[in-house]
Amino acid sequence: MSKLTAQDQFLDLSDYGRSFGRFLANQLKNTRFTPVHVTLLFGVSGLIAIYCILVQYYYWASFFIILKSGIDAADGELARLKKTPSYFGRYLDSVFDIVLNFMLLMAICYVSQSSVLIALLAFIGIQLQGTLYNYYYVILRTRSVGGDGTSKIFEYKTPVALPGESQKSVDILFGIYNIVYGGFDKVIHLLDPNAYKVKTFSNWFMTMVSLYGLGFQLLIIALMLPMGLIGYILPFFIIYTLLIIVIIGIRKTAFKE
């Protein structure tokens, strides 16, 4: 089940784990496993990848990074199959992502003996990249009839809990989400405040934006690790952030409000 209607679907370079995610979700749809269980599972896969980096087992690290991307796609798929959308699961997924991203880059910093400042700049860069992708993607999903509705363009207000979930749990996770993502959201909204007024984005544009999706970012890391390029990962993502200016410039030129 897609998050978008057929006409809005595009080649998402960051979503290569979707086929595995759908397969896993279909295997779990008639079991007691919930989407939150799957979210916890991708967290475990991410932690194993980080451990593998620390002990310099780079091929295994790459395997678990890619596996994490596949499992990450399964929780949302399972929620749609079981018809159990959840704000709790949506925010838990996002919080896990940013924590794992930070730990992953710090592990790379430690092993490559890089500056902590460089690692922090790379982390900020990666988060801004991912925020830009999510910003445009959620705008497209919001415009897409029948699209998924648990993500909002502007996440400023605690949502009302959906059936089957606790309002208190949603409040707590939304608060954490706002703390860790709020600053990045504000920067991207400041750089392109009128993007939400655009009726739709072309498929080619969204494919280009997907270069900033978390899955594609992780794929780059998974490729660079076994190639012996661990020392270049952090500088790469700092420079890669400059593409934000190009993408926003294209958006403003090609898709007027």
Side-chain angles (χ1 to χ4, degrees):
M1 186 182 299
S2 176
K3 299 176 182 179
L4 301 168
T5 57
Q7 66 181 12
D8 290 323
Q9 290 177 31
F10 61 95
L11 175 60
D12 190 339
L13 301 174
S14 72
D15 202 28
Y16 52 84
R18 183 63 52 185
S19 295
F20 176 78
R22 285 175 179 155
F23 169 79
L24 180 58
N26 275 294
Q27 303 309 304
L28 299 176
K29 67 179 180 180
N30 295 319
T31 70
R32 294 183 178 181
F33 277 88
T34 69
V36 171
H37 291 144
V38 178
T39 301
L40 295 174
L41 185 60
F42 92 62
V44 171
S45 183
L47 290 174
I48 294 174
I50 291 165
Y51 171 77
C52 289
I53 290 173
L54 291 173
V55 296
Q56 300 182 39
Y57 290 166
Y58 296 142
Y59 284 97
W60 280 112
S62 296
F63 171 80
F64 283 104
I65 286 172
I66 299 300
L67 179 62
K68 183 262 184 190
S69 293
I71 299 173
D72 196 0
D75 53 5
E77 291 290 338
L78 186 59
R80 285 183 283 276
L81 283 173
K82 291 195 170 191
K83 294 181 171 51
T84 56
S86 162
Y87 285 115
F88 177 87
R90 178 258 185 275
Y91 293 127
L92 182 65
D93 185 299
S94 296
V95 170
F96 269 24
D97 276 336
I98 196 169
V99 170
L100 289 172
N101 284 351
F102 181 79
M103 294 176 66
L104 179 65
L105 294 181
M106 286 302 153
I108 291 171
C109 173
Y110 175 78
V111 174
S112 63
Q113 298 182 336
S114 300
S115 162
V116 173
L117 177 59
I118 295 297
L120 289 174
L121 289 174
F123 171 73
I124 292 170
I126 278 180
Q127 293 309 131
L128 287 174
Q129 295 163 29
T131 299
L132 182 67
Y133 166 76
N134 289 330
Y135 183 38
Y136 290 154
Y137 189 25
V138 173
I139 290 172
L140 185 64
R141 284 166 62 179
T142 302
R143 302 289 183 266
S144 181
V145 178
D148 178 52
T150 54
S151 295
K152 307 297 181 185
I153 298 174
F154 301 108
E155 303 269 9
Y156 297 145
K157 183 179 179 182
T158 306
V160 176
L162 295 169
E165 61 179 349
S166 161
Q167 183 65 55
K168 183 177 181 180
S169 297
V170 172
D171 291 346
I172 292 172
L173 270 178
F174 178 77
I176 297 172
Y177 172 89
N178 238 353
I179 290 171
V180 296
Y181 281 101
F184 300 112
D185 287 343
K186 286 181 174 63
V187 170
I188 294 302
H189 294 164
L190 181 64
L191 292 174
D192 195 359
N194 296 318
Y196 74 95
K197 297 179 182 178
V198 177
K199 291 183 179 180
T200 189
F201 299 118
S202 297
N203 293 350
W204 64 264
F205 176 74
M206 289 305 302
T207 295
M208 179 180 65
V209 175
S210 72
L211 292 170
Y212 271 174
L214 177 57
F216 196 78
Q217 293 170 330
L218 293 177
L219 179 61
I220 292 172
I221 295 174
L223 291 174
M224 292 181 76
L225 283 172
M227 292 172 65
L229 300 175
I230 189 171
Y232 295 94
I233 292 175
L234 301 179
F236 170 82
F237 280 105
I238 294 173
I239 297 171
Y240 196 46
T241 306
L242 298 177
L243 188 59
I244 287 177
I245 300 171
V246 176
I247 292 175
I248 292 178
I250 292 173
R251 200 293 296 165
K252 291 182 177 180
T253 302
F255 307 99
K256 301 291 185 180
E257 304 90 44

